[in-house]
Amino acid sequence: MRRAHVVLARRGMALASNQVEYSLLARNPERTGLIQACRDLRVTFIAHTPLAQGLLTGKYTPENPPRGLLRRLRYRSRRLASIKPLITLLREIGHAHESKSPAQVALNWVICKGGVPIPGAKNALQAQENIGALGWRLDDNQIAALDAAS
């Protein structure tokens, strides 16, 4: 990204954004320094799949796995069981913020980390729920707790 920024600058263009997978279950952009590089270069960091294909919504459990063969294979019951503590924490934090859902807390975490989340929505209800991630902020202790749990 830094090289692309330099090449574009030589041509009089700015690198406006960088879109990568980022969520509580996909934190590689933190480890690689990409988020910091975006801050340094004033590049908008766009987080796709911020709800980890629905895993962070809390609707999937080992007893209620996602539908579809590919998603069911990808998210086996062991994986779903391993994220249960994180989902519990998302619910607890959401309760402290006027009953926000796990999805709203997960999206707000991305925002607090400096990202612009672009969650999917299959219907108007999901889109409305996503909007509930706006207009409030997690506190530093909540962010740290989510960081540790994820």
Side-chain angles (χ1 to χ4, degrees):
M1 185 190 74
R2 288 185 185 276
R3 281 184 279 159
H5 185 268
V6 169
V7 169
L8 288 170
R10 283 189 206 136
R11 293 186 166 94
M13 294 182 274
L15 179 60
S17 65
N18 191 354
Q19 179 178 322
V20 298
E21 183 176 4
Y22 184 62
S23 73
L24 282 161
L25 298 179
R27 297 183 57 194
N28 200 42
E30 291 176 20
R31 288 185 281 278
T32 64
L34 179 65
I35 293 176
Q36 187 58 51
C38 285
R39 286 185 192 120
D40 295 346
L41 300 173
R42 296 186 177 166
V43 171
T44 300
F45 178 72
I46 300 173
H48 76 72
T49 323
L51 296 175
Q53 295 185 325
L55 289 179
L56 294 172
T57 65
K59 74 179 184 178
Y60 300 125
T61 65
E63 301 78 34
N64 181 38
R67 288 191 212 154
L69 180 62
L70 292 178
R71 289 182 84 187
R72 205 171 267 233
L73 289 174
R74 184 173 181 196
Y75 302 119
R76 297 180 187 270
S77 62
R78 189 173 354 151
R79 169 95 163 132
L80 293 171
S82 74
I83 65 169
K84 249 181 164 173
L86 177 59
I87 300 302
T88 299
L89 180 59
L90 288 167
R91 287 187 199 287
E92 289 170 5
I93 291 172
H95 184 72
H97 287 277
E98 300 178 14
S99 297
K100 297 296 183 184
S101 70
Q104 291 166 333
V105 175
L107 292 173
N108 194 276
W109 175 86
V110 171
I111 294 166
C112 289
K113 291 290 192 164
V116 176
I118 51 171
K122 292 181 181 177
N123 55 51
L125 184 63
Q126 288 179 355
Q128 191 66 37
E129 174 150 349
N130 292 341
I131 291 169
L134 302 174
W136 61 282
R137 287 186 70 81
L138 296 167
D139 66 36
D140 292 342
N141 290 332
Q142 292 166 333
I143 294 168
L146 288 167
D147 286 349
S150 69

